[in-house]
Amino acid sequence: MQIDGVFVFIGYVPNSDGLENILKLNDNKEIIVDSEMKTEIPGVFAAGDSIAKKYRQITTAVADGTIAALSAAEYLRN
Ligand SMILES: Cc1cc2nc3c(=O)[nH]c(=O)nc-3n(C[C@H](O)[C@H](O)[C@H](O)COP(=O)(O)OP(=O)(O)OC[C@H]3O[C@@H](n4cnc5c(N)ncnc54)[C@H](O)[C@@H]3O)c2cc1C
């Protein structure tokens, strides 16, 4: 078959194996965080496609990462 390129569909289940006994995950194995990207464990943050949210795009992942980094910095300051 002559083609110019391929987008591989990798599915929607995040690679969170091993976290189920550590962090709170939803039924889709996504990490549950609050609006500041905090997990239920103080000092542990999550962002991007691994978290429970509706829209998964580069822009939302970058925004999550910014919030998680600022939250982590605040956590360390306090
Ligand atoms: C085919 C496809 C097309 C897409 N098209 C678009 C688009 O056009 N526009 C758009 O905005 N978004 C698009 N997206 C969505 C976008 O790519 C994601 O929302 C974004 O990349 C999520 O960023 P992330 O950093 O959370 O995760 P990722 O970009 O997936 O990065 C996670 C990284 O963690 C690494 N990793 C995984 N497990 C481990 C581990 N145990 N230890 C260490 N490292 C690990 C992975 O190798 C990877 O490098 C597309 C996604 C796919 C799959």
Side-chain angles (χ1 to χ4, degrees):
M1 185 185 297
Q2 194 68 31
I3 56 172
D4 294 327
V6 173
F7 283 100
V8 179
F9 180 68
I10 60 170
Y12 293 115
V13 179
N15 185 8
S16 57
D17 285 346
L19 290 178
E20 50 279 284
N21 297 326
I22 302 169
L23 296 174
K24 196 170 175 185
L25 307 181
N26 66 12
D27 290 342
N28 296 325
K29 298 174 65 178
E30 300 158 347
I31 302 166
I32 295 175
V33 294
D34 67 12
S35 61
E36 297 175 11
M37 303 301 138
K38 295 175 182 171
T39 68
E40 61 187 342
I41 301 179
V44 177
F45 304 86
D49 279 9
S50 64
I51 66 169
K53 62 178 180 179
K54 186 169 181 182
Y55 298 115
R56 293 164 203 286
Q57 293 279 280
I58 292 167
T59 47
T60 60
V62 170
D64 293 346
T66 302
I67 294 167
L70 292 172
S71 295
E74 182 183 47
Y75 174 82
L76 291 172
R77 268 197 309 277
N78 294 330

